[in-house]
Amino acid sequence: PGFHESPDNNNFWYANWTEWDHVRSLSWDPVGEQRVRHPPVYYDIADGGATLRRQARQARSHGVSVFVFYHYWFAGGRTVLTRPLREALIGADGKGLGLNWFFSWANEPWSKRWDGDDGKSVLIRQAYGGEAEWGAHLDALLPFFSSPEYAKVDGRPVFAIYNLRHMQTDAGMPPKPLQYCANPPPADANSCRGGCAHAELYLHWYPDLLHTVETAREHFEAKGEREGRAWPAYDPCVMFSEPESRLASPRLVHDMVAFWQRRAKEKGLPGLYIVGTVGGWMGSQGIDKLADAVPNGEATFDAMLQFMPAAFRNQMPVLKAARDECGVPTRKPSDPHAPTCSCYMRAMARYADHPLLRPRAVRSGRWDFFRGAFAGWSNYPRHVASPKVAQVHCSWGNTTDASAFEVLIFRQLMRAIADAGDSCFYPPTDQPSGLLSHHQQGASSFRHLVVTDAWNEWGESAVMEPTREDGFALLEAHRRAVAHAEQALLSMIPE
């Protein structure tokens, strides 16, 4: 919701600053090696709900059933960017959005680097406090939860938490920095010099093995050490490990959610439907550790959301398979070229069901699973002044291959249908058009969504809505994928 003037942005940047300032004057992304997309019109999202309702109509007509809005709640109960959501979602005019929706709490510091880290560039600190702060947070959410359009599962409002790793008892303290291998040692090296246990190097040593952080260490102790390999003396590289200083505090997460559940019931709700996020900040192995760290920890969550492409990129064993086909997604300008989005999405469509991308409680059936997709990603527009920190997952180049996006959405929809099992046939209907959207209104709806990373994250080139360059290409691809999935689902309905 950053596409409107706000007092905070006026203060932090300059008068009348909005996210449009990132893309308005750009035509080429040298990091992503692609055109910069632009909207047909630079809209103001704080216009009494008109723009959000227009976007909801566009989305619904192309097979989108739900919008997920980022929700901001910082230390001391400070909020930002709430005006357009209040106007459109719970406004006095009573019009609503015209589409179901729910919140994902973007629980990380607001920073001029847009990186979610605590540090010198933090504008608003993220901290969590205790029960008084948790209660105030829930009370502020209740007016939104009461909306008939707010997504609910068995009456419980769906509430996602974006950055589980940040939920630590010492939140707000500078985390231990991650290390990169600027010059990875050659494949025949027997050690990771400089303290960089690069996962890629371990895969060079044993290319036929699929390793997590834990199994790689176990394998090293059982075999690698005898072969003369040397484990690093310092912290492993990014994408290979999660330094302990950045792991979430399971007690904080558990206690906060347990308090919310009690308070929600006191307020007349049957509880909350809590969704964690599997992505760049915490992978599925970190989620498993979080669930194991406290008694009955798996009960903290009801579902996990697979946030793509970060969840895919940060699992080196899975990425290796895609890398062999498409090339390595670049992390900084000096890295190799980014793969094409066409190849990367098709590879993701094949590998997105890999066990490393699904926490154990998802694989066992205890948690529901929101499967992920994405429409592109490069944050160069936000880092024009400092392109060395820009990152890109894949490149569209000059032409957007919407068919690859269609394949990814369709494959993930079919997996979600398989996850749902017999419940996918409620309520029964013989009308293929709108079948999946119609199903979402059931009593246990929203358990098996497919979530695309962004509708209008223009500053990260992650956009599904119409663009000046590609028109409705991605929305039309989404509509076709949903229609094909509906036809497939219709053929499965028992007679």
Side-chain angles (χ1 to χ4, degrees):
F3 300 102
H4 71 288
E5 181 188 358
S6 73
D8 291 295
N9 281 328
N10 287 345
N11 179 44
F12 295 143
W13 299 94
Y14 46 81
N16 302 316
W17 184 95
T18 72
E19 285 262 22
W20 292 128
D21 290 30
H22 290 309
V23 300
R24 198 185 302 269
S25 62
L26 296 181
S27 60
W28 184 252
D29 172 356
V31 178
E33 299 176 317
Q34 61 186 351
R35 292 183 302 171
V36 175
R37 273 66 176 174
H38 303 85
V41 176
Y42 292 100
Y43 51 76
D44 182 349
I45 209 167
D47 57 0
T51 292
L52 281 174
R53 293 184 185 112
R54 172 182 57 78
Q55 292 172 323
R57 290 193 298 270
Q58 287 178 336
R60 192 178 188 91
S61 66
H62 289 86
V64 177
S65 301
V66 190
F67 269 173
V68 185
F69 291 104
Y70 281 123
H71 157 74
Y72 301 93
W73 180 275
F74 298 101
R78 183 171 179 178
T79 60
V80 297
L81 305 181
T82 59
R83 178 185 159 198
L85 302 185
R86 289 189 175 277
E87 290 176 345
L89 307 181
I90 56 173
D93 60 13
K95 292 181 181 179
L97 184 64
L99 194 72
N100 289 114
W101 50 274
F102 66 89
F103 282 148
S104 174
W105 179 20
N107 61 308
E108 57 187 23
W110 212 12
S111 162
K112 282 199 171 186
R113 290 172 55 90
W114 285 276
D115 58 5
D117 271 342
D118 296 282
K120 294 181 179 179
S121 62
V122 167
L123 302 172
I124 306 177
R125 190 171 65 93
Q126 180 71 69
Y128 303 96
E131 291 190 353
E133 290 81 3
W134 306 342
H137 190 181
L138 183 66
D139 290 345
L141 289 167
L142 289 175
F144 295 97
F145 290 166
S146 65
S147 166
E149 294 181 329
Y150 196 95
K152 299 177 179 71
V153 173
D154 299 326
R156 294 176 293 155
V158 178
F159 188 70
I161 302 175
Y162 174 68
N163 191 341
L164 291 173
R165 183 189 265 180
H166 191 269
M167 296 187 73
Q168 52 191 5
T169 53
D170 59 343
M173 299 298 290
K176 198 169 186 178
L178 294 171
Q179 297 184 11
Y180 290 84
C181 282
N183 297 295
D188 58 356
N190 283 330
S191 65
C192 297
R193 302 187 186 283
C196 195
H198 207 238
E200 191 170 1
L201 178 59
Y202 207 87
L203 290 171
H204 276 308
W205 292 344
Y206 307 105
D208 297 326
L209 300 179
L210 288 180
H211 279 299
T212 65
V213 175
E214 293 79 18
T215 61
R217 181 62 193 240
E218 292 169 0
H219 183 272
F220 164 74
E221 292 175 347
K223 183 177 180 181
E225 193 170 23
R226 291 200 300 269
E227 294 179 353
R229 311 294 189 187
W231 196 256
Y234 306 103
D235 293 324
C237 276
V238 65
M239 299 202 313
F240 192 61
S241 184
E242 296 170 336
E244 290 297 323
S245 65
R246 302 197 65 193
L247 290 178
S249 163
R251 177 55 60 189
L252 171 61
V253 178
H254 176 80
D255 290 351
M256 181 184 292
V257 169
F259 176 86
W260 280 344
Q261 297 288 14
R262 294 193 302 271
R263 176 63 69 90
K265 292 175 181 178
E266 291 171 0
K267 298 292 184 177
L269 293 169
L272 303 179
Y273 184 87
I274 301 295
V275 182
T277 302
V278 183
W281 292 114
M282 181 170 283
S284 57
Q285 292 79 31
I287 300 291
D288 290 341
K289 288 182 180 179
L290 191 63
D292 290 342
V294 295
N296 201 27
E298 289 187 354
T300 302
F301 302 101
D302 297 284
M304 282 289 150
L305 187 157
Q306 186 184 48
F307 191 79
M308 293 293 195
F312 190 75
R313 179 199 69 192
N314 285 353
Q315 290 293 346
M316 278 297 296
V318 185
L319 181 61
K320 180 180 183 296
R323 177 188 60 190
D324 292 342
E325 301 175 27
C326 304
V328 181
T330 185
R331 301 187 66 84
K332 49 187 181 297
S334 60
D335 283 343
H337 298 299
T340 66
C341 289
S342 177
C343 184
Y344 198 43
M345 287 183 181
R346 293 176 191 276
M348 186 181 291
R350 287 191 291 276
Y351 301 119
D353 206 37
H354 193 284
L356 290 178
L357 301 179
R358 294 178 294 136
R360 182 186 58 244
V362 168
R363 301 195 301 273
S364 69
R366 179 158 188 180
W367 291 343
D368 296 330
F369 197 39
F370 296 2
R371 294 182 176 273
F374 80 113
W377 200 93
S378 169
N379 65 5
Y380 171 75
R382 283 179 169 167
H383 297 287
V384 173
S386 52
K388 290 185 178 181
V389 302
Q391 299 178 10
V392 60
H393 287 276
C394 66
S395 171
W396 282 122
N398 287 311
T399 304
T400 299
D401 179 10
S403 64
F405 180 65
E406 180 180 345
V407 168
L408 176 58
I409 293 293
F410 175 75
R411 291 288 297 274
Q412 291 293 67
L413 281 172
M414 295 308 296
R415 288 174 176 131
I417 289 171
D419 292 341
D422 291 343
S423 68
C424 207
F425 304 119
Y426 176 87
T429 177
D430 58 0
Q431 299 298 319
S433 178
L435 182 61
L436 292 179
S437 297
H438 183 56
H439 163 66
Q440 297 297 348
Q441 307 308 316
S444 296
S445 59
F446 307 108
R447 287 187 184 275
H448 304 286
L449 300 177
V450 174
V451 181
T452 304
D453 67 330
W455 168 267
N456 63 340
E457 193 77 85
W458 293 90
E460 293 182 349
S461 306
V463 178
M464 258 185 75
E465 67 176 334
T467 71
R468 189 186 308 163
E469 292 76 12
D470 301 315
F472 284 73
L474 290 181
L475 277 178
E476 283 296 313
H478 186 275
R479 182 191 58 77
R480 291 192 299 270
V482 171
H484 293 158
E486 287 174 341
Q487 290 288 350
L489 177 58
L490 185 63
S491 69
M492 302 175 192
I493 295 179
E495 296 184 357

